[in-house]
Each structure stands twice: as C-alpha cells, then as structure tokens.
Amino acid sequence: MFICTTKSPEETALLAEKAGTRIREGTVLCLTGDLGAGKTLFARHIAKVLGVETEVTSPTFSLMNVYEGFCPILHFDLYRLNSEEELDDIGFYEYVDEPEGIVIIEWADKFLDDLPEEYVMVNFSRNENNDDNERHITFSCVGEKDADFLKELEKIC
Ligand code: ADP
Ligand code: MG
C-alpha cells in the first residue's frame, strides 16, 4: 500500500499516465472516493496513455463504456446501480472475472462482494477543507496478481 498526494488535476493526470505505462492487461482497477474526487480524470489519463484517442467521459448514465486502445479498456461507473441483479444485467461478472484488456470500475466499493478475487484499489480523498485541489490517492492490491505493477508504480511516483 502506498499513498501519493497531488496538488492539481495535472498532477493526478501525470500519476494516471505513469500508472498507464506500467499496468498489465487483465488488471482490474477499482476507483473509490466521493463525487468530484478525481476518479474519472484518472481513468481518462490511463486511457490516453494506452492509446485511446476519443474523449473518455463518465459512464454514469451508460454504466459502461468500451474504448479501444492498445488493448480494450472497459470503464464502469456503478454510482447509479442499486442491486446485484442490475450488475448481472449489464454483464458485469463476465467482463470482470476474466478480463480481456483493462477494467476500470468507479464506485466499486458499492459492491465489494461482487468484485473479482484480485484487483487494485485506488482511493481518492480530499482534505478536510473540501475546496482545495489536494488529493490523497491510496493504492493497494487485493491478491498477489498486481503486486509487481504496484511496486513499479511506487518506484516512479
Ligand atoms: P469523480 O469521477 O471522482 O466524480 P472527476 O474526475 O469527474 O471526479 O472530477 C474531479 C474534479 O476535481 C475535476 O473537476 C478536477 O479538475 C478537480 N480537481 C481539482 N484538483 C484535483 C486533483 N488534485 N486531482 C484530481 N482532480 C482534481
Ligand atoms: Mg466519475
């Protein structure tokens, strides 16, 4: 587990791009944190460094967007979902249990019991005075699969 502090959207974007250069296909990234914490910005810059040229927007209404970069990138937003049945309806389990490419899940903590066995958790939190641009970004992994990725990322952060 390690924590990076960023002081602007640009610094978070750079961190995401570093993560994008080290991430492996098959990785599931679970992004947590309040509205406006920086989850979508982070997803956008991972996708950018993975060769996605179209604009990455929040899939809050579409629930899932698929981008083609150097590999497929599946971007979920579970904010509006309320039940496991709805997850099943959108094919969540098929996509995340044996992922092709990279899976990014915003609001993953709403469905902790439904996540795959191994994944990377990235939590975004603000300072107590909610109005400034500082974010504390905590990386941790569940399972061993992504440990090397996180070790490499920690070195270059
Ligand atoms: P979320 O997807 O978590 O709801 P977004 O990524 O859509 O959040 O929005 C984050 C907002 O916070 C953006 O408007 C961004 O410019 C702003 N922001 C300010 N400082 C930071 C920072 N250090 N890191 C990330 N975003 C920041
Ligand atoms: Mg978002």
Side-chain angles (χ1 to χ4, degrees):
M1 196 268 272
F2 65 98
I3 303 176
C4 295
T5 298
T6 65
K7 294 192 180 298
S8 66
E10 291 75 22
E11 281 185 29
T12 298
L14 183 64
L15 176 63
E17 288 173 20
K18 286 179 179 172
T21 62
R22 291 294 189 279
I23 201 166
R24 277 86 159 153
E25 276 192 56
T27 301
V28 176
L29 275 185
C30 293
L31 310 185
T32 63
D34 292 342
L35 272 181
K39 302 180 294 297
T40 300
L41 181 103
F42 192 87
R44 178 176 301 137
H45 285 272
I46 290 218
K48 182 181 163 201
V49 89
L50 290 172
V52 174
E53 288 175 1
T54 52
E55 201 202 340
V56 171
T57 53
S58 182
T60 305
F61 293 97
S62 54
L63 307 176
M64 179 185 81
N65 290 332
V66 181
Y67 299 97
E68 277 303 327
F70 304 131
C71 64
I73 296 157
L74 277 66
H75 184 193
F76 288 91
D77 187 327
L78 307 185
Y79 186 64
R80 294 189 157 267
L81 287 186
N82 295 311
S83 69
E84 290 170 346
E85 204 180 356
E86 289 173 292
L87 278 185
D88 206 13
D89 288 345
I90 63 169
F92 182 79
Y93 302 105
E94 286 98 283
Y95 288 120
V96 303
D97 285 341
E98 279 174 45
E100 269 180 52
I102 292 181
V103 178
I104 302 176
I105 309 168
E106 295 192 38
W107 294 97
D109 48 335
K110 282 187 69 179
F111 292 98
L112 281 179
D113 291 342
D114 298 278
L115 300 178
E117 282 181 11
E118 302 188 282
Y119 58 89
V120 175
M121 189 66 111
V122 188
N123 177 255
F124 298 76
S125 70
R126 303 186 203 197
N127 274 354
E128 302 79 70
N129 52 336
N130 257 353
D131 54 3
D132 74 12
N133 287 350
E134 193 167 296
R135 302 287 189 275
H136 303 289
I137 304 171
T138 306
F139 293 86
S140 55
C141 60
V142 173
E144 277 306 301
K145 188 177 86 177
D146 306 298
D148 287 344
F149 159 50
L150 282 198
K151 262 184 219 147
E152 286 178 25
L153 182 59
E154 185 175 9
K155 264 187 228 153
I156 58 170
C157 282

